[in-house]
Amino acid sequence: MAASIAIVTDIHGNSAALRAVLEDMDKEFQIDHIYCIGDMVGIGHETNEVLELLFTRNDISFVIGNHEEAFLNIIHGEAAGTSSEERRHHQWLVSRMDKSYILKLMELPKSLTVEIEGKQLLLLHYHLTHDNTFLPIDSEPSGEKLEKLYPNTPANVICFGHHHPVHFFETNNRLFLNPGSLGCNHKPLARYAVLHIAEKVEAELREVPYDNQAFLLQYELLGVPDKDFILKVFHGNQHLNF
């Protein structure tokens, strides 16, 4: 027996990229289940479109990311824990969000542990402290450094996101995988990963081309807060090509 699962993370309000990935996995693979490991929202302006695509499927499990946490903090009137610029951006997105999704976001766990074909997988948005908060991003991770974060973890595979580049490390104990941000890229490519799980675990990293022109041009048309910073840092100013 064998199973194939898909890992997606950091969609960041980009429904065109998400749609391309879902179409690719439905066409190219027989996926048994999809795991979405946080930051479905934030940065991109298509909150409702992304959440509808995800929550209307019955083959996806979720964990919460820092941007979903920021949304919920705003909704509940709690301290955001973010800069004023990021809070203004999130407030704008929350004001446009279909509030029927709030309860669903509130129900999301911080991590998931699942067993598939005898292999244990730990899925989380990013590495957690003992009090269940996200650690700061390590911009230069390694298998050795990651192992030190999980000294007593029996998981064969640990999947995470949050840091947008792809990370793939195999140690003597396990596989660490970050498939890279699905929705934020300096090229019109949407990333995800497929894990083929049998006696061994094999990872297939995917980059799906898609048309991002309309999505990027909408930042200006909608007047998204901090659009210049977002378009430069998260999308490499691709909109200037149009």
Side-chain angles (χ1 to χ4, degrees), residues 148-219:
K148 291 179 180 179
L149 298 177
Y150 298 94
N152 302 310
T153 302
N156 304 104
V157 182
I158 297 178
C159 296
F160 61 96
H162 190 39
H163 194 194
H164 291 179
V166 174
H167 300 124
F168 183 90
F169 302 104
E170 286 187 281
T171 70
N172 292 332
N173 298 317
R174 58 183 61 88
L175 167 67
F176 294 94
L177 172 65
N178 173 0
S181 174
L182 187 154
C184 293
N185 198 328
H186 285 204
K187 298 179 180 179
L189 298 170
R191 294 171 291 197
Y192 75 105
V194 177
L195 292 178
H196 304 287
I197 304 171
E199 187 174 339
K200 294 181 62 178
V201 179
E202 296 183 355
E204 186 171 348
L205 298 170
R206 303 280 290 182
E207 287 188 329
V208 184
Y210 73 104
D211 184 354
N212 64 359
Q213 179 173 344
F215 170 73
L216 294 178
L217 293 179
Q218 280 290 105
Y219 277 94

Side-chain angles (χ1 to χ4, degrees), residues 68-167:
E68 285 86 27
E69 284 192 334
F71 271 38
L72 292 175
N73 285 340
I74 289 170
I75 289 165
H76 295 144
E78 300 171 0
T82 58
S83 67
S84 59
E85 293 83 3
E86 188 172 351
R87 183 173 176 81
R88 184 166 63 95
H89 172 76
H90 283 141
Q91 286 173 328
W92 185 85
L93 290 171
V94 168
S95 73
R96 295 167 53 85
M97 175 185 171
D98 183 336
K99 301 308 184 289
S100 66
Y101 294 124
I102 294 173
L103 183 59
K104 185 71 173 179
L105 295 179
M106 289 174 60
E107 294 172 343
L108 299 182
K110 209 68 174 274
S111 66
L112 283 175
T113 300
V114 298
E115 186 166 314
I116 302 172
E117 300 298 327
K119 305 295 184 184
Q120 188 179 108
L121 283 72
L122 173 62
L123 304 117
L124 66 174
H125 184 59
Y126 201 63
H127 320 298
L128 297 167
T129 66
H130 293 300
D131 62 356
N132 218 34
T133 59
F134 295 120
L135 286 169
I137 286 178
D138 181 350
S139 60
E140 297 182 354
S142 67
E144 181 180 5
K145 290 164 74 175
L146 289 167
E147 278 291 349
K148 291 179 180 179
L149 298 177
Y150 298 94
N152 302 310
T153 302
N156 304 104
V157 182
I158 297 178
C159 296
F160 61 96
H162 190 39
H163 194 194
H164 291 179
V166 174
H167 300 124

